[in-house]
Amino acid sequence: MRNLKIFARTDIILILIVTVFLSGWLTFSYFRPTSNKAVILVHGKMYKTVSLDKDSTFKIFWKGVYLMTVQIKSGAIRVVKSTCPLKICVHTGWISKDGQVIVCVPNRVIIHTEGAKSTSYDLMTSQ
Amino acid sequence: MQKIQRIRTLILSIFTLAVVAVVIFVVISRRPPQYYVRRGIAFGTDVKIAYATRKKNAEAVVNAMFDELNKLNNIFNPYKPGSELYKLNHSNGKWMEVDPRLLDVLKYSIKFARDTNGDFDPTLGRVVVLWGFNTDNPHKWKLPSPYEIANALKDVGYRNVEFDGNRVRLLNNVWVDLGGIAKGYAVDVLLAMAKANDKSSTGYVDIGGDIGIIGPKYGNQPWKIGIRNPRGTMNDAISYVYLYKGTIATSGDYERYIIVNGKRYYHIFNPKTGYSSNYFESVTTISKSGILSDAFGTAAMIGGPSKIGKWANEFGVAYMSINEEGKIQKNSLWKDYEKP
Amino acid sequence: MNKKVPLYGLLVAVGSAIYVLENFVPFPVPVPGARWGFSNMVIVYALPTTPLSWLLALAIGKAVIGGLLSGRFLSPTFMMGAAGSITASFSMFLTFKIFKRVGLVFHSVIGALINNLIQVIIGAQIISSWAILSYLPYMEMLAIFSGVVNAVMAGILLKRVKKGVGLR
């Protein structure tokens, strides 16, 4: 039985190295752009999957009828214009986190993000 | 001697690795199935269902749930010509045989109206139409004159709904609007479908914020549910609860409303005045049944702070209310859900 | 040899007790079934004087009895604990044999790091998503903490019982 040490100098070095490595990893993963996408459903069917990493603006048509204009900018997506009366979808504003959703009931359009940083909740209860 | 020691260590190492490999294999083979998630639109709102079952028929069950939702929508939408409730509202006081699901909900709503001394009233259809809140078009929402409201209130009153077996009769011109209760009922129906398929299945149904838990997340964790900030944006939560089972629903003044001369009027009406009560911005309710959670919130919006506590005790529900100053109030049952 | 059996029995008992008590300490990272790993304290305690076979028996013993006591025997949580504990014991044994000029903290931290790594890997299998791998750095930060705690507690105990009832 060799002499037992609780803390040796090497131990401190190990802890330091691991801590520095972990901090670096955390910082790196914090600043790394996540590869996000948004899924657009129209009338319950998959309409389009778009990457949120490329800024763009495009229009959604259903059976030749214009429904809305959607914009993607710096990892977030929003509805700019819509033919619906309430404009709830426009007022929802930007969404960027996993689990967030833009819904346009009159036009039957659902836009939700995927693979992004998640929201702090699974579900939202609202009126 | 040292050689034997080394061989022993080697054998032990291999044994350890084998044990770990077996454990990992067992865990993988026992893992719960992935959630099948489908979104759609029903009841004029977005619907999300997540479902996991060991029976491997999640997709078929969820599709059946959406079919059922569409059927329920066609029964309970009072303003859609051809729906069961539309027909009842236009039956001119004659006895009409109705779908058993409509009968169930009607009976429940009348009983609930009685239990809340008429603060909850399912016969406000005429008033809802007068204000224009039956449409999705905000340009048609308007403040009626006091005379019009008084007039419409003559055609309101839950005592005008009569039952005879599976037949229903609406007296005195009343129109039934089950908006404060139909979504909650649909939650109950879908939960029952999910459980009938597989008792140990898990997931949730979310019908525009009326949520029912099929079972805990991955079998053992709570679902974290945000309570929408009534004066915030769509994805802005003001508080959280953790649910393993049960249902949660919110009634609020922030989606269908108009502001006239600085005063907010919204779509939940006090059957005694024909106006909305301005007690709460929202009331969120947790209970065993979706229909109760839904109805309770509606009644509490009308009844206000003097009745909400008493009713919560009577019905055994947990609630969180936000009043017009933004002040949050919770009962003791609610606090049990705030910890994961 | 015969004298050792009750001593290891005692260690298994203490380890199981910590395992059960640990369930009441909230764990700040949302990885399903992940835990602090303080029950590995008994393994750190036994490390300097125990052959590998006994060390592993200790790890399995405390996982099984702790699992039975907390009603989680053979559940995914149990599997994570057991696999983590076993691999941690094994790796601590290795570092103890290889590195001679280090303290108890070194072995304990290595063990805790490996323990939590295994937990994340198995946790990812349980929820069938590698998304929780992003929690790994946080888990490993906590591992450093519990590793140091385990070593210090075990070390103090080792020094105290040196002349009394020990494992040698």
Side-chain angles (χ1 to χ4, degrees):
Chain A
M1 177 65 200
R2 63 201 197 223
N3 196 24
L4 179 83
K5 263 199 240 161
I6 298 179
F7 248 118
R9 201 189 303 145
T10 348
D11 303 10
I12 310 280
I13 295 170
L14 171 78
I15 291 175
L16 276 180
I17 291 174
V18 176
T19 311
V20 166
F21 173 74
L22 290 176
S23 316
W25 183 353
L26 281 174
T27 330
F28 178 74
S29 62
Y30 184 80
F31 287 111
R32 186 187 47 180
T34 42
S35 101
N36 308 330
K37 57 179 183 166
V39 178
I40 301 172
L41 302 168
V42 183
H43 282 256
K45 290 186 187 69
M46 169 76 79
Y47 178 81
K48 196 173 183 182
T49 304
V50 287
S51 161
L52 296 182
D53 300 332
K54 265 184 292 177
D55 294 359
S56 68
T57 303
F58 57 91
K59 293 185 168 108
I60 296 178
F61 291 90
W62 182 251
K63 294 188 173 154
V65 179
Y66 167 75
L67 298 183
M68 57 174 65
T69 307
V70 176
Q71 184 190 10
I72 296 169
K73 202 180 164 191
S74 16
I77 186 166
R78 70 162 174 172
V79 175
V80 187
K81 262 192 283 181
S82 168
T83 58
C84 62
L86 274 174
K87 314 282 184 219
I88 288 179
C89 47
V90 179
H91 296 307
T92 304
W94 296 102
I95 63 165
S96 60
K97 289 179 173 174
D98 198 6
Q100 290 187 329
V101 62
I102 300 174
V103 180
C104 181
V105 174
N107 284 335
R108 305 187 85 75
V109 175
I110 298 174
I111 301 173
H112 66 96
T113 49
E114 245 176 37
K117 257 193 293 182
S118 62
T119 46
S120 49
Y121 49 83
D122 295 311
L123 289 165
M124 173 80 97
T125 175
S126 68
Q127 168 196 338
Chain B
M1 203 54 202
Q2 239 190 346
K3 209 174 171 186
I4 295 174
Q5 194 76 39
R6 234 182 262 162
I7 291 169
R8 235 170 70 181
T9 309
L10 188 71
I11 291 172
L12 271 170
S13 316
I14 293 168
F15 170 76
T16 313
L17 291 175
V19 167
V20 172
V22 167
V23 166
I24 291 176
F25 176 78
V26 169
V27 168
I28 291 172
S29 59
R30 282 174 60 100
R31 75 182 166 191
Q34 294 247 30
Y35 279 101
Y36 176 75
V37 181
R38 188 177 150 187
R39 289 170 184 271
I41 290 176
F43 279 87
T45 181
D46 59 316
V47 177
K48 188 179 177 190
I49 298 175
Y51 190 54
T53 163
R54 290 182 197 282
K55 291 175 92 178
K56 295 179 197 274
N57 59 352
E59 186 172 351
V61 173
V62 171
N63 288 342
M65 285 157 99
F66 269 94
D67 290 345
E68 181 67 21
L69 264 184
N70 282 330
K71 276 185 211 146
L72 291 174
N73 199 14
N74 285 334
I75 294 172
F76 289 106
N77 186 345
Y79 310 112
K80 185 178 173 185
S83 84
E84 192 80 358
L85 189 49
Y86 183 92
K87 283 186 213 152
L88 179 65
N89 279 342
H90 294 81
S91 58
N92 297 320
K94 289 199 259 318
W95 285 106
M96 179 183 150
E97 208 171 292
V98 299
D99 186 282
R101 285 168 286 195
L102 178 58
L103 189 69
D104 271 0
V105 179
L106 269 175
K107 282 189 168 163
Y108 187 98
S109 66
I110 299 300
K111 184 178 180 304
F112 199 79
R114 245 185 255 128
D115 291 346
T116 55
N117 286 318
D119 275 0
F120 178 90
D121 196 315
T123 60
L124 278 159
R126 301 263 181 199
V127 177
V128 174
V129 172
L130 180 64
W131 286 76
F133 286 126
N134 55 320
T135 76
D136 288 333
N137 186 347
H139 302 301
K140 293 192 176 155
W141 303 347
K142 57 170 198 299
L143 176 64
S145 72
Y147 172 78
E148 287 175 301
I149 289 174
N151 219 20
L153 274 182
K154 285 184 199 151
D155 302 330
V156 167
Y158 67 91
R159 290 193 176 82
N160 294 311
V161 184
E162 292 189 339
F163 300 97
D164 173 40
N166 58 355
R167 296 191 307 159
V168 182
R169 168 163 81 163
L170 301 183
L171 298 175
N172 216 354
N173 255 341
V174 298
W175 269 3
V176 171
D177 181 332
L178 296 167
I181 200 166
K183 277 197 289 175
Y185 175 74
V187 166
D188 288 337
V189 170
L190 297 195
L191 288 188
M193 285 176 78
K195 285 294 175 192
N197 175 59
D198 173 4
K199 256 187 99 176
S200 67
S201 58
T202 70
Y204 59 77
V205 302
D206 175 357
I207 306 177
D210 268 39
I211 297 163
I213 305 298
I214 300 167
K217 194 174 175 179
Y218 308 121
N220 54 12
Q221 291 169 67
W223 296 98
K224 186 176 180 184
I225 295 167
I227 318 300
R228 158 110 183 243
N229 177 355
R231 295 294 176 266
T233 57
M234 208 143 193
N235 294 306
D236 178 11
I238 199 165
S239 186
Y240 302 97
V241 286
Y242 299 84
L243 292 189
Y244 291 88
K245 55 181 183 180
T247 68
I248 184 166
T250 298
S251 297
D253 66 359
Y254 49 82
E255 257 169 34
R256 289 185 177 226
Y257 67 92
I258 47 171
I259 292 180
V260 181
N261 295 329
K263 192 167 157 54
R264 181 185 287 253
Y265 302 91
Y266 57 93
H267 69 298
I268 301 173
F269 298 107
N270 184 333
K272 280 137 201 158
T273 65
Y275 293 89
S276 49
S277 308
N278 289 80
Y279 297 121
F280 296 124
E281 290 175 355
S282 77
V283 174
T284 303
T285 315
I286 302 172
S287 82
K288 274 183 215 146
S289 101
I291 195 166
L292 174 58
S293 295
D294 207 355
F296 183 88
T298 307
M301 289 294 284
I302 298 159
S306 61
K307 295 177 183 167
I308 190 170
K310 188 182 106 203
W311 286 343
N313 288 340
E314 276 171 26
F315 296 112
V317 304
Y319 77 86
M320 179 185 120
S321 62
I322 304 172
N323 73 8
E324 295 283 309
E325 280 91 57
K327 224 180 124 232
I328 294 177
Q329 200 193 349
K330 304 155 177 175
N331 68 351
S332 57
L333 278 177
W334 179 276
K335 286 169 185 147
D336 296 343
Y337 295 103
E338 292 190 304
K339 289 161 291 230
Chain C
M1 192 65 183
N2 280 342
K3 221 168 133 189
K4 277 189 168 182
V5 176
L7 280 170
Y8 281 101
L10 198 64
L11 282 184
V12 169
V14 173
S16 310
I18 301 176
Y19 181 101
V20 173
L21 288 177
E22 212 177 52
N23 292 335
F24 300 104
V25 185
F27 191 72
V29 182
V31 173
R35 37 199 298 125
W36 284 97
F38 289 131
S39 64
N40 285 342
M41 208 177 280
V42 295
I43 293 168
V44 181
Y45 176 79
L47 184 63
T49 49
T50 310
L52 183 57
S53 50
W54 283 85
L55 217 51
L56 295 177
L58 200 54
I60 295 168
K62 83 173 170 62
V64 169
I65 293 180
L68 284 171
L69 285 177
S70 52
R72 295 185 172 163
F73 189 53
L74 291 181
S75 70
T77 315
F78 163 81
M79 299 291 184
M80 287 169 75
S85 221
I86 292 166
T87 37
S89 313
F90 183 68
S91 47
M92 282 193 276
F93 179 81
L94 278 185
T95 59
F96 192 79
K97 286 285 169 240
I98 298 166
F99 301 104
K100 299 294 182 189
R101 302 177 71 90
V102 297
L104 207 49
V105 169
F106 185 93
H107 311 299
S108 179
V109 167
I110 293 277
L113 288 172
I114 302 247
N115 183 58
N116 286 15
L117 174 68
I118 295 290
Q119 292 207 0
V120 171
I121 292 173
I122 296 186
Q125 294 301 328
I126 289 174
I127 68 164
S128 18
S129 153
W130 288 105
I132 61 167
L133 218 59
S134 58
Y135 290 124
L136 187 58
Y138 299 99
M139 289 280 285
E140 297 297 42
M141 287 282 192
L142 294 171
I144 296 177
F145 174 75
S146 59
V148 172
V149 169
N150 286 350
V152 171
M153 300 290 275
I156 291 171
L157 207 59
L158 275 169
K159 295 221 151 141
R160 285 279 160 87
V161 297
K162 218 167 199 175
K163 294 193 180 93
V165 190
L167 289 173
R168 67 199 76 109

